[in-house]
Every structure is written in C-alpha cells, then in structure tokens.
C-alpha cells in the first residue's frame, strides 16, 4: 500500500497538470527523463510547441517571441530570447506553463501558443561557465567562452553575462564554378573556395528590485560584432581567377527598463522603456584577372562600401484589468522614434558609379494604441478579440526627399474550443501590417563581379494582409501531440523587386508591386518512441507547404513571391540513457529551394538538409560535456544565376552561372559547468 502511494506521488510529480482553461503546467520532473541542461532544452521538448525567438523588427510589440519568463517578457531586444533561456539552468526551473489559445490574465503577445517558464524562488544564485572548440575538417578552428551569473539579495536580483565568440560560417565551403552563354556553350570551368568568420563580444547585465510598491528591472547590453570572409574562384584550364573580400563590423548598445505595479487584485500597469544605438560598416572588394574578364566580360575591380548609423527609442504602457476569473482586459499604447543615416559608394573599374539613394537620412515617428479582451465564454470556449491602431510619419532627406503619413487599423479575433481530452480547435482572423525594413531603404551589394548592386527605396509602404487561419491539435500517448494548421492571406502592396531606371543605368530595387495571395498548410508532430523500441526517446518535427501568387512587375506574368520556399521541414530526435548519464540525438533542418526575381536575372538557390549529431555526457552534477558532429550528412548549396542581356522575359539570355559548394563538416566540443 505504501509503495503504491509513493509511485502515485511520483507520477503526479512528473505528469502535466491542467491549471485552467487553455493552460497546462509541465513540472520540472516531466523533463527529467530527457536530461535537459537549460531552460531552452525544456522549452524545445514541450509537446505541440515550436519555439519562436521573436522578430528583428522595430518597435517592441511586434518583436515578441512566444516564451515569457515568470510571466514577463524580457526588457531587451538585443539579448535574444534563446540566449536568455540558455542561461537558465534546468534545475532552476519549477515548471513551464503552456498556454494554448489564450487565457484570462495572460498577455499572449499576438501568439496562438505561449510558454511561461516559471523559475524556482529558493535559489540565491548561480554561476555558469561555458566553453567550446570547433574544428573544421580542413583544419580551421573556432570557439567561444561565456560567463553567466545570477545572485539574489533579499528581493533584489542581479544578473550578468560576458561572452567572446568566433564562429565559422557553415554556409561557406568549396565546389565548382561554371558559366555557360545563351547557347549553352561553356565559358567558365573553375573551382570555388569560400570561408568566413564572425567574431563577437557581448555583455548583458540586469538588476531587478522592488520600487514604489512595484517591481523594476533594468537591462544593459553591448554587442560588438564583425564578419570577415573571402570568395576565391580560379580557372581549371589555366591561370586566372576572381576574388571577393567581405569585411563587416557593427557595435550596438541598448538600455531597457520594465516597471510593473499592481493596484489592488484586479488592476495593474506595465511600462517598458528602451533605447538602442548602433552603427554598421561594410566594405566588399572584388578583383578579377584579365584572363577571366576576357572570357566573361566581368569587371576587373569593384568596391562597395556602406556606413550606417541608426537609433531606436521606445515607450510602451499597458493597463490590465481582470474583473472576473473568466474575463481580462488590456489597453495601452506604444510610441517609437527611429532614424537611419546611411552613406554608400560604388566604384567600378576605378570609376565612381552614382547610386540612387546613396546618401539618405530616414526618420520614423510611430504610435500605436491597442485594446483587447480574453473571455472564457463557456468551460470549453475561449474568445480573444482586440484591435490595434497604428499611425506613423516617415520622412527622408538627402538624395531622396519625401514625407508621408500612414494609418492602419489592425483588428483580430481568435476562438478556441477545448475538448475534455486536451484536444483543441482554433480559429483566427486578423488584419496584419508588416514592419518596414530600413535595410530596404538603402543599396546592397549583390554580384560585384558583374557590377550588380541592388538600390534602396525610401518610399516603400508596408504590406497589409487579411489572414484566416484554422488549427486542429490532438494529444495522444501522454507526450504525443499532432497539430494541423491551414491559413490563407490576401495581401496589398506586396514587397518584392522591380526595375528602376536612372541616368546611370537600370537598377534593381525593393518595391510595392501590387496584390498577392497565398495559402499555407503546416503539420507539427511530437512523438514519444517507447512503442517503437526506443525507450524514453522523443521525436519532434514539422513540415510547412505554402503557395503564393503575385504579378511580376517586369514580365507581367504571375509567379510566386521572391525568397519564399514552397516547402520547409525539420526533424529532431533525442534519447536519454540515465544509467550512463548520457543522451544522444540528431537534428535535421530540411533542404529548401528559393527563387529571387530581379529585373534582368532569375536566381535559384537549392540548399540541402543541414544535420547535427550530438551526444551529451553529465559526469557529475552541474557538469555537461557535449560533442557535436555538424553537417555530418554533407550539405550542398547550389546557386544558379540566369542573367539576361536586358529585361527578363523580353531579352535573350546572357549567361547561366551555377555554383555548387559543399559546406564544411565540423566537430564541436562544448563544456558547461554550473555552480549553484
């Protein structure tokens, strides 16, 4: 009898707990058999959940990921959500609540599924030291070292992180380089060898303490980033070749503040303030030999430079009211001011080439008001409805002088029906407005050997689209989960590429090219493998099929949107061996094909699957040794450039250039030690 009680208690300690409509709590014991090291490991193993670290966009509301920590969103944008979760040891997590479809009192931040990582309160501090070394088969080496700490002094918590990293660009490698003319005759038969490195130095520090009856958290981040790479091509038939060198460096500083205070049991106010400053410099230089130029007509030398400075200031206030256990209300607003100043130059064969929008200053003043409500209408039905209203003013000066004001309402409705067994049906209808990318306002180097530069367009408008989405989620076998999601969108002012005619030539630029439509079907599966003779194993994966349609601005013919793969998939498997203090697994990011439509060329990229085989060993408490074999299947990347003599579709083919490279295989060893 006593043994039965103990076994029942153990099951309760690890079993998911329904904590209310739409909320399932997963205690730390639920993940114990999978031997996680960090909170990110635990989040990635939640049934029916796909981690989203957030978007790199201006503003605070639109950049949110789908994980909060202790019910709160981090008061930072520079310190990524996955890095924050990596710094939280698994034994510091009490439980993770999975909120599906919304629940009263929970800010879903526009997500249909949200994870809340709840930390233990009985830990006074910790210190984590991590180091890794990576070796490429060809002998190149890289690595990183990081130091993370947290300490509590009463109700005050201090956090700090330092990291120094040097990454090998796994997308580069060696392979073939071939170019044929319009008749198919071979012009170039050569070899290509690429390599690249990214050094990075970061510090992220925070303090959280009670202030004036509420809770204040201050974050400070500083990131120094860079990139150095080379692309070397040589002829097989004799002397001659081409070389391109890439050099980039950036510095970003950020200060973020979050203050939250409750006013009684039903009201609370949350305030975010954030300031970012950054600068970025890039120099891409190309040198070609006379032998290659005689065969192809490529330039002998080109140099493209860009110097960019930008800043972002954000203030956001949210007032929350929960009049009952079944209803919660939120109203608030966000104000943001952004500016970008850029200088660019392009020198072709020693002569300066004028570029459209080469010297531009862009400023955006944007305000957004929002109101939403979450209502448990019945024990099975949850409704979430809201509206955001965005108004902005964008000005540009310098080479392009313009000023315009934009106003967009963004209504949203989501309905969730929950069955007794945990299954759900979700429906969403929403009007979405994209975030303008300031990088589209300025020129970008494309193919320096042919003197191709993509110009900027400071007069872009964000696209708007109506989205209808329906999802069905089914739970099975304890940890099993299967979800199917279908959606369709109707888009206005789709952003793609279009020709721009200037006195110095025809260039390719981002542009609003009209209306577009699209459909998407996504399947996600979490599958425990005990029934397949793989004890304690867990497989998770997803596959997304999409189809888009837009009218090509160059040819007038329908085609898909640029840079929009029609099939995306990934798979992950992990199996622990507790008696050996080990676990192993494999991660595969599926291959993709992408097409890029320019005014005078069609670029096709085919990337094979990227694979990682790993083994974790935990010889003692707080110590983890990980060995990874990166790209063990061998990833080929094929870039096919079909270039026309003039406008695509109405002029003959000038040449077809195909580059087929094999990304390097890497061995990585990581050691993590946590002192509690």
């Amino acid at each position: 009898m006593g043994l039965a009680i103990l076994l029942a208690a153990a099951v309760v300690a690890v079993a998911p707990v329904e904590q209310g409509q739409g909320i399932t709590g997963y205690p730390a014991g639920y993940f114990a058999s999978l031997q996680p090291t960090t909170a990110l490991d635990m989040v990635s193993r939640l049934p029916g959940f796909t981690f989203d670290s957030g978007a790199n966009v201006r503003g605070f509301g639109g950049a949110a990921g789908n994980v909060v920590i202790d019910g709160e969103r981090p008061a930072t944008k520079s310190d990524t959500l996955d890095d924050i979760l990596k710094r939280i040891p698994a034994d510091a997590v009490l439980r993770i609540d999975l909120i599906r479809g919304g629940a009263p009192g929970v800010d879903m931040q526009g997500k249909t599924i949200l994870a809340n990582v709840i930390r233990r309160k009985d830990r006074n501090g910790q210190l984590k030291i991590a180091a890794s070394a990576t070796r490429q088969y060809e002998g190149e080496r890289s690595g990183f070292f990081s130091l993370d700490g947290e300490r509590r002094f009463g109700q005050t918590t201090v956090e700090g992180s330092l990291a120094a990293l040097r990454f090998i660009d796994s997308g580069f490698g060696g392979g073939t380089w071939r170019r044929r003319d319009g008749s198919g005759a071979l012009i170039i038969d050569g070899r290509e060898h690429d390599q690249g490195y990214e050094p990075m130095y970061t510090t992220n520090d925070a303090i959280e303490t009670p202030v004036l009856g509420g809770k204040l958290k201050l974050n400070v981040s500083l990131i120094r980033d860079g990139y150095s790479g080379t692309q070397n091509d040589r002829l097989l038939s004799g002397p001659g070749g081409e070389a391109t060198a890439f050099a980039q460096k950036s510095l970003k500083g950020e200060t973020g503040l979050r203050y939250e205070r409750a006013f009684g049991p039903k009201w609370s106010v949350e305030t975010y303030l954030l300031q970012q400053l950054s600068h970025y410099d890039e120099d891409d230089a190309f040198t070609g030999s006379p032998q290659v130029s005689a065969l192809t007509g490529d330039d002998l030398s080109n140099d493209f430079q860009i110097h960019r400075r930008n800043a972002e200031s954000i203030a956001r206030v949210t007032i929350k009211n929960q009049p009952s256990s079944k209803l919660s209300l939120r109203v608030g607003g966000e104000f943001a001011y952004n500016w970008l100043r850029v200088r660019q130059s392009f020198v072709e064969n020693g002569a300066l080439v004028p570029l459209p929008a080469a010297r531009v200053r862009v400023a955006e003043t944007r305000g957004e008001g929002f109101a939403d409500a979450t209502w448990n209408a019945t024990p099975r039905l949850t409704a979430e409805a809201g509206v955001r209203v965005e108004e902005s003013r964008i000005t540009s000066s310098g080479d392009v002088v313009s000023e315009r004001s934009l106003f967009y309402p963004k209504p949203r409705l989501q309905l969730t029906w929950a069955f007794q067994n945990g299954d759900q049906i979700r429906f969403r209808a929403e009007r979405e407005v994209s975030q303008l990318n300031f990088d589209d306002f300025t020129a970008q180097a494309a193919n320096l050997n042919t003197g191709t530069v993509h110009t900027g367009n400071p007069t872009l408008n964000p696209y708007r689209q109506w989205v209808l989405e329906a999802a069905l989620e089914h739970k099975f076998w304890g940890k099993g989960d299967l979800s199917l999601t279908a959606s369709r969108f109707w888009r206005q002012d789709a952003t793609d590429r279009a020709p721009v005619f200037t006195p110095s030539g025809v260039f390719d630029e981002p542009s609003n090219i009209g209306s577009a439509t699209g459909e998407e079907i996504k399947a996600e599966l979490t599958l425990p493998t005990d029934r397949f003779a793989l004890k304690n194993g867990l497989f998770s994966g997803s596959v997304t099929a999409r189809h888009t349609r837009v009218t090509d601005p160059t040819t007038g013919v329908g085609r898909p949107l640029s840079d929009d793969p029609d099939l995306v998939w990934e798979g992950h498997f992990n199996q622990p061996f507790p008696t050996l203090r080990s676990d192993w697994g494999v991660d595969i990011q599926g291959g993709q094909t992408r097409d890029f439509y320019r005014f005078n060329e069609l670029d096709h990229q085919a990337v094979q699957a990227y694979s990682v085989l790993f083994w974790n060993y935990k010889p003692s408490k707080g110590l983890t040794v990980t060995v990874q074999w990166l790209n063990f299947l061998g990833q080929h990347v094929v870039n096919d450039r079909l270039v026309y003599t003039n406008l695509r579709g109405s002029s003959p083919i000038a040449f077809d250039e195909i580059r087929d490279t094999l990304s390097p295989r890497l061995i990585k060893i990581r050691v993590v030690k946590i002192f509690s």
Side-chain angles (χ1 to χ4, degrees):
M1 182 68 176
L3 178 60
I5 294 175
L6 289 175
L7 290 175
V11 171
V12 171
V14 301
V17 179
E18 296 297 329
Q19 300 190 345
Q21 187 168 332
I23 303 179
T24 304
Y26 292 86
Y30 173 87
F31 305 94
S33 64
L34 299 172
Q35 303 184 95
T37 301
T38 69
L40 183 61
D41 298 332
M42 302 168 77
V43 165
S44 64
R45 289 164 172 79
L46 285 169
F49 182 78
T50 300
F51 174 65
D52 175 11
S53 62
N56 183 23
V57 296
R58 299 184 312 285
F60 203 72
N66 62 355
V67 177
V68 293
I69 300 170
D70 294 327
E72 299 168 343
R73 180 180 170 187
T76 177
K77 290 176 63 179
S78 296
D79 194 9
T80 62
L81 187 55
D82 48 344
D83 283 341
I84 294 173
L85 293 173
K86 287 177 185 176
R87 295 200 295 267
I88 301 176
D91 62 2
V93 177
L94 177 65
R95 72 173 190 274
I96 300 179
D97 288 345
L98 190 62
I99 303 104
R100 298 150 58 229
V106 178
D107 180 6
M108 296 296 290
Q109 303 179 127
K111 310 297 181 181
T112 55
I113 302 179
L114 190 73
N116 181 17
V117 177
I118 300 173
R119 294 178 292 183
R120 292 168 50 183
K121 304 300 182 184
D122 57 348
R123 295 169 60 97
N124 290 324
Q126 67 191 36
L127 177 66
K128 175 185 172 185
I129 301 174
S132 78
T134 304
R135 187 181 189 277
Q136 186 178 329
Y137 278 21
E138 288 78 5
E140 301 292 342
R141 294 178 175 85
S142 67
F144 82 88
F145 175 83
S146 66
L147 183 66
D148 307 308
E150 177 182 294
R151 186 68 178 174
R152 288 185 178 174
F153 303 92
Q155 293 181 293
T156 299
T157 302
V158 179
E159 304 172 29
S161 171
L162 293 170
L165 313 93
R166 184 177 187 266
F167 295 122
I168 294 176
D169 188 342
S170 60
F172 274 0
T176 60
W177 167 43
R178 294 187 176 92
R179 182 183 294 190
R180 300 178 183 273
D181 64 18
S183 67
L186 187 66
I187 304 173
I188 290 289
D189 189 12
R191 294 285 300 176
E192 175 184 352
H193 181 74
D194 311 326
Q195 60 183 12
Y197 305 94
E198 181 183 7
M200 180 184 293
Y201 307 92
T202 68
T203 177
N204 297 284
D205 307 288
I207 181 171
E208 184 175 87
T209 189
V211 173
L212 299 175
K215 185 167 55 176
L216 175 72
K217 185 165 187 177
L218 176 67
N219 287 74
V220 178
S221 300
L222 186 65
I223 301 174
R224 177 72 177 182
D225 197 4
Y227 183 84
S228 298
T230 57
Q231 176 179 314
N232 292 290
D233 308 321
R234 62 179 178 84
L235 297 176
L236 293 178
S237 57
E242 298 178 342
T244 305
F246 313 92
Q248 303 165 6
K249 59 181 180 180
S250 67
L251 179 65
K252 179 188 294 184
E254 179 188 272
T255 299
L257 180 147
R258 183 187 68 235
Y259 180 70
E260 184 175 14
R261 181 178 176 179
F263 295 89
K266 296 183 179 181
W267 292 88
S268 65
V269 176
E270 186 179 66
T271 301
Y272 286 94
L273 299 175
L274 185 137
Q275 177 64 58
Q276 252 187 23
L277 294 169
S278 64
H279 71 74
Y280 171 86
D281 297 305
E282 177 181 341
D283 187 353
D284 300 336
F286 166 81
T287 303
S289 68
Q291 295 93 332
V292 172
S293 181
L295 293 172
T296 65
D298 287 353
D299 295 332
L300 291 175
S301 67
N302 284 318
D303 186 82
F304 175 81
Q305 295 185 4
I306 181 170
H307 306 281
R308 185 170 64 216
R309 305 292 183 265
N310 59 281
E312 179 174 35
S313 306
I314 303 173
R316 182 180 178 90
V317 177
T318 305
I319 301 173
K320 305 176 184 179
N321 175 237
Q322 189 164 353
S324 72
S325 61
K326 295 184 177 182
L327 178 66
S328 65
L329 308 171
R330 292 191 323 129
V331 295
E334 177 175 302
F335 172 82
Y337 176 71
N338 308 274
W339 60 262
L340 166 73
R341 186 174 67 248
V342 63
R343 294 185 295 109
Q344 300 162 98
S345 66
F346 179 54
V347 177
E348 183 177 22
N349 293 322
L352 182 65
V353 178
L355 295 176
R359 292 174 178 264
V360 175
R361 187 185 190 277
V362 180
E364 177 191 46
T365 303
R366 181 167 53 86
E368 180 182 81
F370 56 87
D372 60 52
T374 303
W375 177 38
N376 285 150
T378 74
R380 299 296 173 202
L381 178 63
T382 300
E384 181 186 357
V387 63
R388 292 177 292 161
V389 179
E390 175 185 323
E391 185 171 11
S392 62
R393 178 174 174 267
I394 301 175
T395 63
S396 65
S397 58
D399 291 352
V400 178
V401 178
S402 68
E403 178 179 340
R404 65 193 191 278
S405 296
L406 306 173
F407 177 83
Y408 302 115
K410 296 175 283 187
R412 170 187 170 91
L413 173 66
Q414 177 167 299
L415 302 174
T416 302
W417 180 268
F419 297 90
Q420 289 186 348
N421 60 357
D423 294 353
Q424 280 193 350
I425 295 177
R426 296 186 291 270
F427 171 80
R428 177 174 68 97
E430 185 171 4
R431 187 180 192 240
E432 299 177 338
V433 178
S434 72
Q435 176 72 263
L436 286 172
N437 186 349
F438 273 11
D439 288 341
D440 288 337
F441 291 8
T442 62
Q444 306 290 329
N447 298 286
L448 289 183
N449 57 330
T450 58
T452 303
V453 173
H454 299 156
T455 66
N457 182 3
T459 64
L460 276 175
N461 288 321
Y463 70 73
R464 289 88 63 203
Q465 64 182 23
W466 280 101
V467 179
L468 293 180
E469 179 182 278
L472 171 64
E473 183 177 2
H474 171 60
K475 293 186 173 296
F476 61 95
W477 297 356
K479 295 182 179 181
D481 189 281
L482 174 64
S483 64
L484 298 174
T485 304
S487 63
R488 178 174 173 83
F489 71 79
W490 295 263
R491 183 175 299 178
Q492 296 174 284
D493 276 346
T495 302
D496 211 306
R497 316 297 299 193
V500 55
F501 300 89
T502 74
S504 56
V506 185
F507 293 91
D508 181 77
E509 72 170 11
S511 181
N512 298 119
I513 64 170
S515 300
T517 59
E519 302 85 34
E520 179 178 292
I521 298 177
K522 183 176 184 178
E524 299 173 276
L525 174 67
T526 301
L527 180 69
T529 61
D530 299 77
R531 302 191 182 198
F532 304 98
L534 294 170
K535 186 178 180 181
N536 295 325
L538 190 67
F539 169 83
S540 63
S542 68
V543 58
T544 303
R546 61 169 62 99
H547 175 265
T548 60
R549 198 73 173 171
V550 71
T551 300
D552 191 296
T554 301
T555 65
V557 178
R559 63 162 172 85
L561 290 165
S562 289
D563 194 16
D564 195 20
D566 55 7
L567 187 68
V568 178
W569 65 273
E570 61 182 84
H572 312 274
F573 175 74
N574 179 233
Q575 183 184 24
F577 297 97
T579 58
L580 300 177
R581 301 177 181 176
S582 302
D583 68 279
W584 78 281
V586 59
D587 299 317
I588 298 181
Q589 191 71 40
Q592 298 181 12
T593 59
R594 299 172 181 267
D595 291 315
F596 302 84
Y597 297 85
R598 317 298 186 190
F599 79 93
N600 67 336
E601 66 180 88
L602 172 60
D603 300 343
H604 176 78
Q605 183 184 71
V607 180
Q608 290 183 349
Y610 189 82
S611 52
V612 178
L613 183 66
F614 65 87
W615 172 67
N616 295 315
Y617 175 54
K618 300 181 178 181
S620 61
K621 182 180 179 180
L623 178 63
T624 303
V625 179
T626 301
V627 179
Q628 292 178 305
W629 186 9
L630 308 177
N631 192 30
F632 70 91
L633 293 178
Q635 179 192 57
H636 276 269
V637 179
V638 179
N639 289 286
D640 185 352
R641 292 180 59 221
L642 189 61
V643 180
Y644 295 80
T645 58
N646 204 317
L647 294 180
R648 174 173 46 85
S650 60
S651 60
I653 295 174
F655 63 85
D656 184 9
E657 181 178 82
I658 299 178
R659 295 175 179 267
D660 184 351
T661 60
L662 176 64
S663 300
R665 292 180 172 89
L666 309 167
I667 296 295
K668 180 178 181 179
I669 299 176
R670 184 178 72 235
V671 179
V672 177
K673 176 60 178 176
I674 300 174
F675 301 90
S676 301

